[in-house]
Amino acid sequence: KSVTAKFDTLALSVKLAGTGGGAVSSSPSGIDCGTDCAETYGATSGSMTVTLTATADSDSVFSGWGGSCAAFTGPICTVTMTAAKSVTATFTRIALIVSRAGTGAGTVTSFPAGDINCGTATGATDCYETYSSGSPSAIVNLTATPDAGSIFSGWTLNTNPGGGTSCAGQGACYLDMAGAGAVTAIFDKPLLTIAKSGVGSGSVTSSPSGINCGVDCMEYYAVDTAVTLTAAADTGSTFLGWSGGVCAGSGATCVVTMNDKKDVEAVFGQPTLTLTVTRNAGAAGGVVKADVGGINCGLNGSTETPDVAVADCTENYYVDRAVVLTASAAANSTFMGWTGDCSGTGTCSLTMNADKIVGAVFNTYRLTVSKGASTGEGSITSLPAGINYDYANTDDSEYYPLNTL
């Protein structure tokens, strides 16, 4: 007879990951990863427990477990060997990466000196540095210095290395290097932006060149460049002035000193001309209206007394605006026709290429009755109504429109 005894074993494997360095050891012994990252353990009636410990290198931090240790948050993980297991340990290098962005140029340096010297200055090529782990963590202060013609616009904290970090805006950048960090320094040339507004149209150009707005309304200029802006109105428009605080007044030119971002607004309008409507005074009444609004001269539909107060008989219109006037007589009146810049009895069509004055003539005819020398009595009335003349009433006259029977 021959007998073979078979003993089952269970494998535990460890993998290192991340940008940093470190090692994982086990208890009981067997794993020492760095170099020995796998071990087999004998199967027992009671499951074997293996404790793994992660230790980061001096320039790295332990970032976490994966695989069979994913539920553990600290550097120690306990694995129960009920089956083959695999574990990942991630280490992150405590590195600071500095980059630069924007339309300008400049250099970023650090304190302690020598760690970071990143930019356009001679020899400024060191934009990466590693720092030791431990408590307290390394503290790094960054300073941004713009080149001539540029400005420093601010920091962007891409990766926050630790809770004590303060790096935003244009102030100091203070980094608590408890972990990896990444920072961008933004250097710009000041941006000049032109906006146009108003009912008119026109363009703005610059000297030095760069702005031709119209089409190109933004340009970067070196710091302290004096930029002369010139506004020119299109035909039929007028330049009303500058707005936005950087430029003011109604002069066609404005000088802007580019020591920071600047916004300028140019306002264009259209010139106006005056249309005046008059009506003849007297008992005749009517109203004159413009199809485009503005003129509403008279009291339509009422029986007007002489020199009645009228509404809006004067209006300003843009140059070359087409205006059509319509006259409507009141109930006791007849529209006789236009005077001034219109004629005839139809509508009045105007093109506002100059100031205009238009008269509207409304008229009525007065009918008067009287009694002759007589000793008799009687009365006189009219149809249409208006005359009612007898011994008790003295209404002996009335105005009627032309051709009234």
Side-chain angles (χ1 to χ4, degrees), residues 33-52:
C33 181
T35 54
D36 184 359
C37 297
E39 187 64 33
T40 57
Y41 295 93
T44 62
S45 57
S47 299
M48 173 176 271
T49 297
V50 180
T51 299
L52 298 177

Side-chain angles (χ1 to χ4, degrees), residues 54-191:
T55 305
D57 291 348
S58 62
D59 63 351
S60 302
V61 291
F62 174 66
S63 300
W65 299 101
S68 297
C69 286
F72 291 83
T73 57
I76 298 175
C77 165
T78 300
V79 181
T80 301
M81 296 301 297
T82 56
K85 301 290 178 75
S86 62
V87 173
T88 300
T90 301
F91 297 93
T92 302
R93 192 171 305 279
I94 304 175
L96 174 59
I97 301 173
V98 174
S99 57
R100 295 171 300 119
T103 58
T107 300
V108 178
T109 56
S110 67
F111 180 83
D115 292 348
I116 296 292
N117 186 13
C118 177
T120 55
T122 302
T125 58
D126 187 359
C127 301
Y128 176 92
E129 187 66 33
T130 60
Y131 295 89
S132 297
S133 61
S135 181
S137 52
I139 301 300
V140 180
N141 288 281
L142 296 180
T143 299
T145 304
D147 288 358
S150 296
I151 58 173
F152 173 60
S153 298
W155 303 101
T156 298
L157 185 61
N158 305 306
T159 303
N160 191 335
T165 291
S166 175
C167 185
Q170 294 175 294
C173 182
Y174 176 92
L175 302 173
D176 180 359
M177 296 302 299
V183 176
T184 300
I186 303 173
F187 298 98
D188 282 319
K189 292 181 179 179
L191 176 64

Side-chain angles (χ1 to χ4, degrees), residues 226-239:
V227 181
T228 300
L229 299 175
T230 302
D234 292 341
T235 301
S237 294
T238 184
F239 175 63

Side-chain angles (χ1 to χ4, degrees), residues 9-399:
T9 58
L10 301 174
L12 173 60
S13 62
V14 175
K15 179 182 178 181
L16 304 183
T19 59
V24 176
S25 59
S26 67
S27 176
S29 62
I31 297 291
D32 186 13
C33 181
T35 54
D36 184 359
C37 297
E39 187 64 33
T40 57
Y41 295 93
T44 62
S45 57
S47 299
M48 173 176 271
T49 297
V50 180
T51 299
L52 298 177
T53 300
T55 305
D57 291 348
S58 62
D59 63 351
S60 302
V61 291
F62 174 66
S63 300
W65 299 101
S68 297
C69 286
F72 291 83
T73 57
I76 298 175
C77 165
T78 300
V79 181
T80 301
M81 296 301 297
T82 56
K85 301 290 178 75
S86 62
V87 173
T88 300
T90 301
F91 297 93
T92 302
R93 192 171 305 279
I94 304 175
L96 174 59
I97 301 173
V98 174
S99 57
R100 295 171 300 119
T103 58
T107 300
V108 178
T109 56
S110 67
F111 180 83
D115 292 348
I116 296 292
N117 186 13
C118 177
T120 55
T122 302
T125 58
D126 187 359
C127 301
Y128 176 92
E129 187 66 33
T130 60
Y131 295 89
S132 297
S133 61
S135 181
S137 52
I139 301 300
V140 180
N141 288 281
L142 296 180
T143 299
T145 304
D147 288 358
S150 296
I151 58 173
F152 173 60
S153 298
W155 303 101
T156 298
L157 185 61
N158 305 306
T159 303
N160 191 335
T165 291
S166 175
C167 185
Q170 294 175 294
C173 182
Y174 176 92
L175 302 173
D176 180 359
M177 296 302 299
V183 176
T184 300
I186 303 173
F187 298 98
D188 282 319
K189 292 181 179 179
L191 176 64
L192 175 58
T193 302
I194 307 298
K196 297 187 295 177
S197 65
V199 297
S201 61
S203 62
V204 178
T205 55
S206 68
S207 177
S209 63
I211 296 291
N212 186 10
C213 181
V215 180
D216 185 359
C217 299
M218 293 189 298
E219 187 66 28
Y220 292 98
Y221 292 95
V223 170
D224 294 331
T225 299
V227 181
T228 300
L229 299 175
T230 302
D234 292 341
T235 301
S237 294
T238 184
F239 175 63
L240 299 180
W242 304 99
S243 180
V246 177
C247 291
S250 57
T253 61
C254 168
V255 179
V256 180
T257 300
M258 295 303 298
N259 51 13
D260 203 345
K261 176 184 176 183
K262 297 293 176 71
D263 296 306
V264 175
E265 183 178 358
V267 183
F268 295 93
Q270 291 183 353
T272 59
L273 296 168
T274 302
L275 172 59
T276 302
V277 173
T278 64
R279 300 181 313 143
N280 58 305
V287 65
V288 178
K289 293 185 178 181
D291 64 327
V292 293
I295 296 291
N296 185 14
C297 183
L299 301 176
N300 194 22
S302 67
T303 301
E304 300 183 10
T305 58
D307 300 320
V308 67
V310 296
D312 187 356
C313 297
T314 302
E315 187 67 28
N316 293 323
Y317 294 102
Y318 294 128
V319 172
D320 293 331
R321 184 69 184 269
V323 181
V324 178
L325 299 177
T326 301
S328 302
N332 67 334
S333 299
T334 299
F335 174 61
M336 305 301 294
W338 304 102
T339 63
D341 286 304
C342 276
S343 61
T345 58
T347 57
C348 167
S349 297
L350 299 168
T351 299
M352 294 301 296
N353 51 16
D355 291 335
K356 305 279 185 176
I357 299 176
V358 175
V361 180
F362 298 93
N363 208 351
T364 61
Y365 292 88
R366 187 176 186 179
L367 173 61
T368 303
V369 299
S370 64
K371 295 188 300 178
S374 173
T375 59
E377 297 291 338
S379 64
I380 303 172
T381 59
S382 68
L383 183 69
I387 301 293
N388 185 9
Y389 181 58
D390 60 18
Y391 69 91
N393 299 290
T394 58
D395 188 359
D396 62 350
S397 65
E398 184 64 35
Y399 289 95

